[in-house]
């Protein structure tokens, strides 16, 4: 079983559309993250949730809205998509300070045309 | 604010050589530090995790060291192989559970 799974793996959409990326972890972790990897391959943290509560919210446009229905899921919804949103988005989870090892999903390659 | 620097940015070495990848971080109040590997177009594979109380971890041909007080970690790869070619990422976890990545070292092992 995949520890951290993201869907879809690829997403191509037009500017202005609204899209969601789903993430689920079956590790029982308390903390989940969203990262963006841009064209220069730099991974930047976007959000972090701990037990469904938003902990970290980096400087991200408010068109990006994470939603955590339960601690095993952290979905990323993006409104009014722009060309600059094209990137690979990674979901991750960890047990936080207790153990700390982070597990990453396989990534979602978003292309906005 | 934690900042992570990895040196060198890119490295090409002949097969069989031993090599060292360097990572430095500005905030030494970390819980742990993880080294990841990323292959082109792929996700992240965790290689080693060092807790803040540890000084090193070993897995096969890989050895990672941590000097928390000076804000440094190194990843040592012994007897490099072409299959080791990838980007290696250093990622300390701060005490607020925030994991910050360096920009990585792109490693190319020449057959």
């Amino acid at each position: 079983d995949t520890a951290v799974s993201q869907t879809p793996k690829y997403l191509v959409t037009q500017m202005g559309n609204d899209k969601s990326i789903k993430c689920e972890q079956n590790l029982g972790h308390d903390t989940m993250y969203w990262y963006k990897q841009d064209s220069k391959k730099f991974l930047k943290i976007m959000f972090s949730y701990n037990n469904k509560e938003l902990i970290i919210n980096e400087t991200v446009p408010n068109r990006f809205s994470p939603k955590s229905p339960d601690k095993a899921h952290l979905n990323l919804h993006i409104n009014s998509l722009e060309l600059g949103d094209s990137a690979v988005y990674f979901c991750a989870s960890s047990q936080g300070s207790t153990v700390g090892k982070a597990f990453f999903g396989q990534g979602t390659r978003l292309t906005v045309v | 604010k934690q900042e992570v620097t990895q040196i060198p940015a890119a490295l090409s070495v002949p097969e069989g050589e031993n090599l060292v990848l360097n990572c430095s971080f500005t905030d030494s109040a970390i819980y742990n530090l993880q080294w990841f590997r990323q292959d082109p177009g792929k996700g992240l594979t965790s290689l080693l995790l060092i807790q803040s109380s540890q000084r090193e971890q070993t897995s096969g041909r890989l050895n990672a060291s941590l000097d928390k007080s000076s804000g440094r970690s190194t990843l040592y790869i012994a007897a490099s192989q072409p299959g080791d070619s990838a980007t290696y990422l250093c990622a300390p976890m701060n005490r607020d559970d925030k994991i910050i990545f360096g920009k990585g070292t792109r490693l190319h092992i020449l057959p």
Side-chain angles (χ1 to χ4, degrees), chain A residues 31 33 35 37 42-43 45 50 55-56 58 90 94 96-97 99-102 104 106 109, chain B residues 31-32 34 36 38 41-44 46 49 51 89 93 96-103:
Chain A
T31 304
Y33 310 81
Y35 283 82
Q37 189 170 42
F42 187 32
L43 271 158
I45 191 168
N50 182 279
I55 302 298
I56 297 169
E58 293 295 294
F90 285 97
S94 78
S97 56
V99 173
K101 187 172 182 179
F104 279 75
Q106 80 279 19
R109 183 173 294 278
Chain B
Y31 252 117
N32 60 56
Q34 217 164 335
F36 291 88
Q38 186 173 27
K42 299 285 179 67
L44 282 76
S46 178
L49 169 73
Q51 300 291 353
L89 297 158
M93 175 187 278
D96 57 359
D97 296 351
K98 195 170 177 178
I99 304 168
I100 302 297
F101 283 85
K103 293 187 177 181

Side-chain angles (χ1 to χ4, degrees), chain A:
Chain A
D1 281 345
T2 304
V4 181
S5 59
Q6 296 178 228
T7 54
K9 190 173 181 181
Y10 300 98
L11 182 55
V12 181
T13 188
Q14 289 186 325
M15 283 176 55
N17 284 350
D18 303 338
K19 289 293 178 186
S20 293
I21 307 172
K22 295 185 177 180
C23 179
E24 176 182 5
Q25 55 96 2
N26 62 7
L27 298 165
H29 286 166
D30 288 334
T31 304
M32 294 186 73
Y33 310 81
W34 275 107
Y35 283 82
K36 178 181 180 180
Q37 189 170 42
D38 59 25
S39 57
K40 296 181 181 178
K41 307 301 181 189
F42 187 32
L43 271 158
K44 288 185 182 177
I45 191 168
M46 299 173 67
F47 302 102
S48 162
Y49 267 71
N50 182 279
N51 274 317
K52 303 194 298 174
E53 182 181 344
L54 180 65
I55 302 298
I56 297 169
N57 184 351
E58 293 295 294
T59 308
V60 175
N62 56 16
R63 298 181 294 104
F64 289 78
S65 54
K67 291 207 171 30
S68 181
D70 54 61
K71 76 173 194 177
H73 295 83
L74 182 61
N75 304 323
L76 183 64
H77 190 75
I78 314 171
N79 290 328
S80 303
L81 278 156
E82 300 178 357
L83 293 176
D85 298 333
S86 296
V88 181
Y89 293 84
F90 285 97
C91 175
S93 75
S94 78
Q95 195 52 23
S97 56
T98 307
V99 173
K101 187 172 182 179
F103 293 80
F104 279 75
Q106 80 279 19
T108 295
R109 183 173 294 278
L110 171 65
T111 303
V112 182
V113 297

Side-chain angles (χ1 to χ4, degrees), chain B residues 19-54:
Chain B
L19 55 99
V20 175
L21 308 181
N22 295 294
C23 171
S24 61
F25 46 94
T26 55
D27 184 355
S28 61
I30 63 171
Y31 252 117
N32 60 56
L33 184 142
Q34 217 164 335
W35 280 93
F36 291 88
R37 167 185 174 142
Q38 186 173 27
D39 293 276
K42 299 285 179 67
L44 282 76
T45 301
S46 178
L47 299 173
L48 290 162
L49 169 73
I50 313 177
Q51 300 291 353
S52 61
S53 58
Q54 297 174 325

Side-chain angles (χ1 to χ4, degrees), chain B residues 71-108:
Chain B
R72 294 180 189 279
S73 177
T74 62
L75 179 67
Y76 176 82
I77 304 177
S80 58
Q81 302 171 358
D84 295 332
S85 297
T87 296
Y88 290 81
L89 297 158
C90 166
M93 175 187 278
N94 285 17
R95 291 186 179 268
D96 57 359
D97 296 351
K98 195 170 177 178
I99 304 168
I100 302 297
F101 283 85
K103 293 187 177 181
T105 294
R106 292 187 312 282
L107 176 64
H108 182 50

